Amino acid sequence: MKLHHFLFAGLVAPATADPLPSWNETAPKQAIVAFVEKVTTAGSDDFVPEAERIATFDNDGTLWSEQPMYFQLFFALDRIKALAPKHPEWNEKEPFASILKGDLKSALAGGDKALIELVTATHAGMTTDEFEKAVTDWISTAKHPKTGKPFNEMVYQPMLELLAYLRANGFKTFIVSGGGIEFMRPWVEKTYGIPPEQVVGSSGGLKYELRDGMPVLVKLPEIVLNDDNVGKPVGIQRHIGRRPIAAFGNSDGDFQMIEWTTAGKGARFGLIVHHTDAEREVAYDRESHIGKLDKGLDAAKERGWTVVSMKDDWAKIYPAAP
Amino acid sequence: MKLHHFLFAGLVAPATADPLPSWNETAPKQAIVAFVEKVTTAGSDDFVPEAERIATFDNDGTLWSEQPMYFQLFFALDRIKALAPKHPEWNEKEPFASILKGDLKSALAGGDKALIELVTATHAGMTTDEFEKAVTDWISTAKHPKTGKPFNEMVYQPMLELLAYLRANGFKTFIVSGGGIEFMRPWVEKTYGIPPEQVVGSSGGLKYELRDGMPVLVKLPEIVLNDDNVGKPVGIQRHIGRRPIAAFGNSDGDFQMIEWTTAGKGARFGLIVHHTDAEREVAYDRESHIGKLDKGLDAAKERGWTVVSMKDDWAKIYPAAP
């Protein structure tokens, strides 16, 4: 797979090559490199042993795009259309009825409650193996309505380079996303080089049972972790068990993750991706319904978090098409 | 730390040295070595890529001893004694009253419900940092009532060798234990070489909040995962996100973990440690209240799981005292 090859190319490049070629020579790149050199220099006051070099990344809006709506929602809508023939009651019931009529705006007017209902209705009852197959099939065929690209090609080239750069410097890279953990795991290893066991996300209940004598895990319509806002430090502690030294996000949903990370002792790094590029991507922040960034923009200044302006600091947004 | 040094010694030993010197030359050792050679031989039908070499280990009774009661319970009892002056009501309330009178038998007569109440009462309300310190202090000072050893020296030397052997062959080793995840994490890295992010265990709720402007995670009196029996495959999926190819346990609480592991496609390995050594440790199985092994002993024969007789198959039980 092309992305995969691209991603790992950085690891075998000569040490003198720029590990972050898609980053302009502006403050964010300098801050990243200074931090990594500081924590990896043996004998330095800021040195951090390799085992403690934990870096966490939000996914939607930080590693890949999230407009006009979270990509997992496109998956859920496609599932609803596929499952509709078996659910005639959906023709009368919101948010399903609006979706089936193609009226997404009305469907999403129900806010987070409608979203959770959608995701639950389309995910629950499947075994984890069935769900993994559904995601794998979808990600390999679905296209973004505006760009026409496969969704997993709408990942940010500078962030792919950053992930590889951190790993080449002994970091363990984790995803910590409000998105569904089982939705991300089937494709993030190929796309980002992050294995399933380093993915933290919103999680539903699971039930172990035997079907025809074979054990399966069935997805339940209940949420055991809402991995957003205050849920992110909880997810980090639950899954990783130690505090990251670097955290990367883009919205107020990442605020507590970055706060938790940077409040620890020793050298710490917090970074916010600010969507400022209306031409190459989408420009949005304080007023956006998806990926709202308001509190975080103000906090970044006060707390010394690095803010990346996609327009000014990134030479490139997406990887070259395969 | 001595255990730590010992543990990693295997990794730098010459390839010709026996990686499992504390295992007798009996069937279990041969089965382990045959499995590892099979899945690591490139071109073999049974070859498994390194990323998929996931091995899960129960802790109590599999990596360290668990008699006369789970070691975490000794920790909880010591916490109750330490906290009792602040809880005068415990003098009247079971199971606390019996514990404070030194009558452990009556205290534990309440079964699992009493156990959970004990653990909850002594763990909840603390921040994760405070709890980690309490565990770290306890494990470095407390001694087992019968052997007089520190609890973390009552680990099984053959299993330390097995962990190192698997890792030297590209496996990622995980703990999947009914014990508390936060109780294990502070010491398992030094003792077993397993980092906190590779520990799955029973987990309580956590709440993110600010105290004097600093973020903390507070332990809540609720259980979000009972990582035992059917909870083990659930914990594996939630934390690891892929099915192990090898699983190691000792009691019926590990049954579903081994079943789930060995039901996968391709080469699989399931192993049960059978406590048969009354002289060097404790002999118990079908009738034991702690670590009951009944269903698993029968299933092992039918399903081709390896059973280790501690008496016959292990040349050594514990590491040499430091």
Side-chain angles (χ1 to χ4, degrees), chain A residues 51 54 128-129 132 172 174 181-182 185 189 195-199 203-208 210 213-217 224 230-231 233-234 236-243 255-257 259-260 263-264, chain B residues 51 54 128-129 132 172 174 181-182 185 189 195-199 203-208 210 213-217 224 230-231 233-234 236-243 255-257 259-260 263-264:
Chain A
I54 304 288
T128 50
D129 285 347
E132 180 181 343
K172 249 188 186 176
F174 287 79
I181 194 167
E182 305 277 2
R185 279 174 165 159
E189 186 157 28
E197 62 269 24
Q198 287 167 218
V199 178
S203 318
L206 294 172
K207 183 169 182 272
Y208 185 78
L210 296 181
M214 288 296 282
V216 293
L217 286 165
V224 296
V230 295
V234 171
I236 286 170
Q237 181 63 24
R238 205 183 280 179
H239 285 254
I240 307 176
R242 52 182 148 203
R243 206 189 288 228
F255 183 85
Q256 287 85 356
M257 173 171 76
E259 179 177 70
W260 174 244
Chain B
I54 304 285
T128 50
D129 285 348
E132 180 181 344
K172 250 189 186 177
F174 287 78
I181 194 167
E182 304 277 4
R185 280 171 165 162
E189 187 158 28
E197 62 270 23
Q198 287 167 220
V199 178
S203 318
L206 294 172
K207 183 169 181 273
Y208 185 78
L210 296 181
M214 288 296 282
V216 293
L217 287 165
V224 296
V230 293
V234 171
I236 286 169
Q237 182 63 23
R238 204 183 280 179
H239 286 254
I240 307 175
R242 52 182 148 202
R243 206 189 287 228
F255 183 85
Q256 287 85 357
M257 171 172 78
E259 178 177 69
W260 174 244

Side-chain angles (χ1 to χ4, degrees), chain A:
Chain A
M1 181 181 171
K2 203 120 184 195
L3 281 174
H4 193 224
H5 286 301
F6 189 93
L7 180 60
F8 290 102
L11 296 179
V12 292
T16 50
D18 180 357
L20 302 171
S22 301
W23 290 72
N24 290 329
E25 299 298 329
T26 47
K29 178 175 181 172
Q30 289 156 12
I32 290 166
V33 172
F35 172 75
V36 170
E37 290 183 350
K38 194 161 70 172
V39 299
T40 56
T41 302
S44 137
D45 282 352
D46 293 312
F47 178 76
V48 176
E50 215 166 299
E52 292 167 24
R53 290 182 207 155
I54 304 288
T56 55
F57 289 80
D58 170 57
N59 186 40
D60 298 305
T62 299
L63 295 180
W64 74 350
S65 290
E66 61 181 352
Q67 296 285 2
M69 62 182 186
Y70 300 123
F71 293 177
Q72 185 171 359
L73 214 44
F74 286 108
F75 168 72
L77 298 185
D78 286 346
R79 295 283 313 154
I80 284 169
K81 288 172 198 159
L83 294 170
K86 287 186 183 168
H87 293 273
E89 77 278 13
W90 284 354
N91 287 312
E92 312 294 330
K93 194 184 171 195
E94 291 300 345
F96 308 98
S98 294
I99 288 165
L100 294 173
K101 282 180 213 138
D103 179 3
L104 201 58
K105 204 170 165 185
S106 298
L108 299 181
D112 277 358
K113 196 171 158 286
L115 284 189
I116 289 174
E117 191 161 359
L118 269 185
V119 171
T120 303
T122 51
H123 294 20
M126 300 176 82
T127 70
T128 50
D129 285 347
E130 288 164 357
F131 188 77
E132 180 181 343
K133 185 177 181 319
V135 173
T136 303
D137 290 349
W138 180 83
I139 200 95
S140 67
T141 54
K143 301 267 165 62
H144 188 274
K146 196 177 156 202
T147 66
K149 287 176 185 279
F151 290 99
N152 57 348
E153 288 178 20
M154 292 181 67
V155 296
Y156 303 131
Q157 177 60 32
M159 298 305 277
L160 297 182
E161 295 167 6
L162 177 55
L163 286 166
Y165 173 58
L166 290 174
R167 288 193 293 260
N169 280 281
F171 281 76
K172 249 188 186 176
T173 53
F174 287 79
I175 289 174
V176 178
S177 169
I181 194 167
E182 305 277 2
F183 173 72
M184 296 181 282
R185 279 174 165 159
W187 53 271
V188 295
E189 186 157 28
K190 273 189 188 164
T191 302
Y192 304 134
I194 295 179
E197 62 269 24
Q198 287 167 218
V199 178
V200 182
S202 294
S203 318
L206 294 172
K207 183 169 182 272
Y208 185 78
E209 63 181 46
L210 296 181
R211 286 188 180 175
D212 301 326
M214 288 296 282
V216 293
L217 286 165
V218 182
K219 290 170 75 71
L220 300 177
E222 66 183 22
I223 287 181
V224 296
L225 176 64
N226 180 3
D227 192 38
D228 205 14
N229 300 299
V230 295
K232 290 207 176 194
V234 171
I236 286 170
Q237 181 63 24
R238 205 183 280 179
H239 285 254
I240 307 176
R242 52 182 148 203
R243 206 189 288 228
I245 64 166
F248 303 83
N250 76 296
S251 79
D252 285 354
D254 303 312
F255 183 85
Q256 287 85 356
M257 173 171 76
I258 301 176
E259 179 177 70
W260 174 244
T261 299
T262 56
K265 282 180 196 148
R268 302 282 159 162
F269 193 77
L271 183 147
I272 292 173
V273 174
H274 188 189
H275 291 261
T276 51
D277 198 323
E279 200 172 315
R280 296 182 299 173
E281 205 224 15
V282 186
Y284 60 98
D285 48 33
R286 296 183 193 270
E287 305 297 328
S288 178
H289 288 294
I290 301 275
K292 177 175 177 172
L293 174 64
D294 183 30
K295 190 179 170 188
L297 265 187
D298 300 326
K301 279 183 209 159
E302 296 156 18
R303 304 186 184 203
W305 301 345
T306 295
V307 177
V308 167
S309 163
M310 288 175 69
K311 186 176 176 188
D312 304 311
D313 299 320
W314 284 0
K316 208 172 176 180
I317 305 287
Y318 299 127

Side-chain angles (χ1 to χ4, degrees), chain B:
Chain B
M1 183 181 171
K2 205 122 185 195
L3 281 173
H4 194 225
H5 285 301
F6 189 92
L7 181 60
F8 291 101
L11 296 178
V12 292
T16 49
D18 180 358
L20 301 171
S22 301
W23 291 73
N24 290 330
E25 299 299 328
T26 46
K29 178 175 180 172
Q30 288 157 10
I32 291 167
V33 172
F35 172 75
V36 170
E37 289 183 350
K38 191 161 73 171
V39 298
T40 56
T41 302
S44 137
D45 282 350
D46 293 312
F47 179 75
V48 176
E50 213 167 302
E52 292 167 25
R53 292 182 205 154
I54 304 285
T56 54
F57 289 81
D58 170 56
N59 186 39
D60 298 304
T62 299
L63 295 180
W64 73 349
S65 291
E66 62 181 354
Q67 296 286 3
M69 61 181 184
Y70 299 125
F71 292 177
Q72 186 172 359
L73 214 45
F74 286 109
F75 169 71
L77 298 186
D78 287 346
R79 296 283 313 154
I80 283 169
K81 288 172 198 159
L83 295 171
K86 288 183 183 170
H87 293 274
E89 76 278 12
W90 284 355
N91 287 311
E92 311 295 327
K93 193 184 171 196
E94 290 300 341
F96 307 99
S98 294
I99 287 165
L100 294 173
K101 282 181 214 137
D103 180 3
L104 201 59
K105 204 169 165 187
S106 299
L108 300 181
D112 277 359
K113 195 171 158 284
L115 284 189
I116 288 173
E117 192 162 359
L118 268 186
V119 171
T120 304
T122 51
H123 293 19
M126 300 176 83
T127 70
T128 50
D129 285 348
E130 289 164 354
F131 188 76
E132 180 181 344
K133 187 179 178 316
V135 173
T136 303
D137 290 349
W138 181 82
I139 200 96
S140 66
T141 53
K143 301 266 165 64
H144 188 275
K146 195 175 154 203
T147 66
K149 287 177 185 280
F151 290 99
N152 58 349
E153 288 178 19
M154 292 180 67
V155 297
Y156 303 131
Q157 177 59 30
M159 297 305 277
L160 297 183
E161 294 167 8
L162 176 57
L163 286 166
Y165 173 59
L166 290 173
R167 288 193 293 261
N169 281 282
F171 281 77
K172 250 189 186 177
T173 52
F174 287 78
I175 289 173
V176 177
S177 168
I181 194 167
E182 304 277 4
F183 173 73
M184 295 182 281
R185 280 171 165 162
W187 55 270
V188 295
E189 187 158 28
K190 272 190 189 162
T191 302
Y192 304 133
I194 295 178
E197 62 270 23
Q198 287 167 220
V199 178
V200 182
S202 294
S203 318
L206 294 172
K207 183 169 181 273
Y208 185 78
E209 62 180 48
L210 296 181
R211 287 189 179 174
D212 301 327
M214 288 296 282
V216 293
L217 287 165
V218 181
K219 288 169 75 69
L220 300 178
E222 65 183 23
I223 288 180
V224 296
L225 176 64
N226 180 4
D227 191 40
D228 205 15
N229 300 299
V230 293
K232 289 207 176 194
V234 171
I236 286 169
Q237 182 63 23
R238 204 183 280 179
H239 286 254
I240 307 175
R242 52 182 148 202
R243 206 189 287 228
I245 63 166
F248 303 83
N250 76 295
S251 78
D252 285 353
D254 303 311
F255 183 85
Q256 287 85 357
M257 171 172 78
I258 302 176
E259 178 177 69
W260 174 244
T261 299
T262 55
K265 282 179 198 148
R268 301 283 160 161
F269 193 78
L271 182 146
I272 292 174
V273 174
H274 188 188
H275 290 263
T276 50
D277 197 323
E279 199 172 316
R280 295 182 301 173
E281 206 224 15
V282 185
Y284 59 99
D285 49 34
R286 295 184 193 269
E287 304 297 328
S288 179
H289 289 292
I290 302 277
K292 178 177 175 170
L293 174 64
D294 184 30
K295 192 179 171 188
L297 265 187
D298 299 327
K301 278 183 208 157
E302 295 155 19
R303 304 187 184 202
W305 301 345
T306 294
V307 177
V308 167
S309 162
M310 288 174 71
K311 186 178 176 186
D312 304 312
D313 300 319
W314 284 1
K316 209 171 174 180
I317 304 288
Y318 299 127

